[in-house]
Amino acid sequence: MYSRICVGLLAAAFGLICSLPSAASEQSAPAIGRQREAVLFWPQAQREVQFRRMYELFPSDRAAHGTHVHALPQGKPLALSEQDGSGLLASYMDQHHLAGVMVLQGGRIRLQRYALGFGPEQRWESFSVAKSVTSVLLGIALQRGDIHSMEDTLGTYIPELRDSAYAKVTVQQLLTMTSGVHWNEDYADAKSDVAQMYLGTCVDGQAHIVTYLRKQPQQWPAGTHWNYNTAETDLLGILVQRATHRSLAAYLSQTIWRPYGMAADAYWIKDECDGTDTGGSGLSATLGDYARLGQFMLDGGRIAGKPVVAKAWLEGAIRHQENVDEPGHGYGYLWWTDSDGSYAAIGIFGQMVYVDPSRQLVIAQVGAWPHATSDELVAARWAFVAAVKRAVDAEGDRSAH
């Protein structure tokens, strides 16, 4: 399931890896080439300790929370079915080095467990879950008029791209990764674009990906071919920051974190060349606030009954827009979609915010998988999601009798 995630989400980590602090002086270009794979290849013990401290290890912007907290009251404990075994949650977390799992139904906590010495007050790195959050912020910018239309071209917001293949690419094409611009996302190829895009020196104070993408040629007509492109997610983050005149962290605080009632500050790692927050990775938050983010989506992007995201964005974001070579599954606006109407934000090493509207269900998960991703790990994650769904459905069957 989601076979394209393996390469795409691995590559998404580059935005974080290549934001590592440089040992060079402030006057010289960051020496980041030797550091680019450091996070991916940390030993297991280091991952389990450091994923909760990423915002302390790397330059980050703070998304401040407010005084109001969106309550997550305790609901009836969810009993996983006998066929799954009473120890399913514990064994699932132990085997896969998960730090936290929370299940909400109807806005109430049905299941909650922490491990690895991680607790409710601590934050955890989300990796590519940040992509989906960046997409939400774009939907809010559309609603507020900071971005005029999804048909706007990138050159409107990022003038440095006006002489590139991206000049006429639209916001919607960027959201669906259908720019048509050539891109090699082969993580195993040291000469691929994704392995090269952060290796150059900083140029004219521009983010690495702006400098790199300006040189890329057109390969397909825009809007005709889905090609997973990690750099374009960082580009979307730059677009949002240019349009709103705020960092992603500041805009997140203003539009969701404070008004919706997140319980703790979040942090977003910055690009070392231009100081912008990296749209494709680097967001850290508490498990409870990841669950609240899922609840915000389940609520239809509404706060106090008022929609804060554009209707056009919401209608497209969580619905199938592009095929991902897996029957029944697809890609929306930087959200992964399923044919049953559920959708998810997913990051490497086990991060997930899963939303199932038909069951009013949110599943938030953070962890330190022993590998960035694998077929076995992904299968175990979806097996757990399926077990939670069966438990919820079983309750409905019993009440019907």
Side-chain angles (χ1 to χ4, degrees):
M1 190 175 289
Y2 296 131
S3 61
R4 295 299 294 272
I5 291 179
C6 293
V7 172
L9 293 183
L10 274 170
F14 267 83
L16 173 60
I17 294 165
C18 297
S19 296
L20 290 171
S22 171
S25 67
E26 293 182 1
Q27 288 75 29
S28 61
I32 62 172
R34 67 183 183 277
Q35 305 166 354
R36 64 192 176 106
E37 296 191 26
V39 173
L40 280 180
F41 295 98
W42 276 350
Q44 183 65 33
Q46 188 174 5
R47 283 195 293 268
E48 293 180 8
V49 171
Q50 302 291 52
F51 281 0
R52 74 195 72 189
R53 298 185 58 240
M54 300 297 272
Y55 63 98
E56 296 174 340
L57 300 175
F58 308 112
S60 303
D61 285 326
R62 180 172 68 104
H65 73 294
T67 56
H68 160 69
V69 175
H70 183 103
L72 296 178
Q74 187 66 46
K76 178 183 177 182
L78 183 64
L80 298 177
S81 65
E82 292 183 5
Q83 71 182 83
D84 296 314
S86 59
L88 174 64
L89 178 59
S91 62
Y92 169 64
M93 293 183 67
D94 291 345
Q95 291 175 18
H96 301 98
H97 303 270
L98 298 182
V101 172
M102 183 178 292
V103 175
L104 306 182
Q105 188 183 27
R108 293 179 174 271
I109 299 174
R110 301 292 312 276
L111 204 64
Q112 180 179 199
R113 182 183 173 92
Y114 291 89
L116 304 181
F118 182 65
E121 306 302 319
Q122 294 177 296
R123 300 167 186 84
W124 199 270
E125 162 67 30
S126 66
F127 292 96
S128 282
V129 169
K131 281 182 170 61
S132 302
V133 178
T134 298
S135 181
V136 173
L137 294 180
L138 185 136
I140 292 172
L142 280 166
Q143 177 74 359
R144 295 164 67 100
D146 294 321
I147 294 173
H148 303 118
S149 167
M150 285 192 289
E151 298 304 314
D152 287 351
T153 58
L154 302 192
T156 303
Y157 300 94
I158 309 177
E160 301 94 315
L161 297 178
R162 288 177 182 169
D163 60 349
S164 75
Y166 281 96
K168 300 300 182 182
V169 171
T170 67
V171 172
Q172 183 167 9
Q173 288 163 353
L174 200 65
L175 281 169
T176 54
M177 294 192 181
T178 59
S179 69
V181 178
H182 172 79
W183 186 259
N184 180 354
E185 188 83 5
D186 186 352
Y187 181 73
D189 181 1
K191 295 183 179 180
S192 69
D193 294 308
V194 76
Q196 294 287 320
M197 66 179 183
Y198 289 109
L199 297 185
T201 58
C202 296
V203 177
D204 298 329
Q206 297 175 1
H208 276 302
I209 56 100
V210 171
T211 301
Y212 194 92
L213 291 178
R214 286 180 62 184
K215 304 173 184 178
Q216 296 297 101
Q218 196 80 24
Q219 185 170 3
W220 304 279
T224 65
H225 185 88
W226 185 75
N227 185 40
Y228 198 97
N229 185 329
T230 293
E232 290 185 350
T233 318
D234 282 353
L235 194 62
L236 191 73
I238 291 172
L239 187 154
V240 171
Q241 290 168 96
R242 294 280 183 91
T244 62
H245 306 289
R246 295 172 178 83
S247 68
L248 293 179
Y251 201 57
L252 179 65
S253 174
Q254 178 188 4
T255 60
I256 299 177
W257 232 245
R258 287 180 181 272
Y260 191 72
M262 300 308 186
D265 294 344
Y267 289 87
W268 211 313
I269 291 174
K270 302 189 290 186
D271 178 86
E272 72 280 353
C273 287
D274 70 345
T276 57
D277 298 338
T278 55
S281 63
L283 176 66
S284 290
T286 66
L287 178 65
D289 283 344
Y290 286 130
R292 288 181 178 88
L293 180 66
Q295 189 65 40
F296 167 78
M297 292 296 294
L298 188 58
D299 292 344
R302 294 175 177 269
I303 297 177
K306 180 180 179 181
V308 299
V309 297
K311 181 180 179 182
W313 177 88
L314 189 62
E315 289 178 346
I318 57 178
R319 290 173 174 79
H320 179 281
Q321 298 289 337
E322 302 295 330
N323 293 324
V324 294
D325 301 330
E326 287 285 349
H329 307 294
Y331 200 64
Y333 294 161
L334 306 183
W335 287 80
W336 300 92
T337 65
D338 282 334
S339 58
D340 67 356
S342 62
Y343 52 94
I346 296 173
I348 56 171
F349 292 111
Q351 325 316 317
M352 178 181 69
V353 177
Y354 177 88
V355 182
D356 180 358
S358 67
R359 295 175 176 86
Q360 290 292 294
L361 194 65
V362 172
I363 305 174
Q365 171 181 302
V366 296
W369 279 355
H371 307 287
T373 189
S374 73
D375 290 344
E376 180 183 0
L377 290 165
V378 170
R381 176 173 58 200
W382 296 125
F384 176 73
V385 170
V388 171
K389 288 184 173 185
R390 286 195 298 270
V392 170
D393 292 346
E395 291 178 338
D397 291 342
R398 286 194 295 269
S399 65
H401 292 61

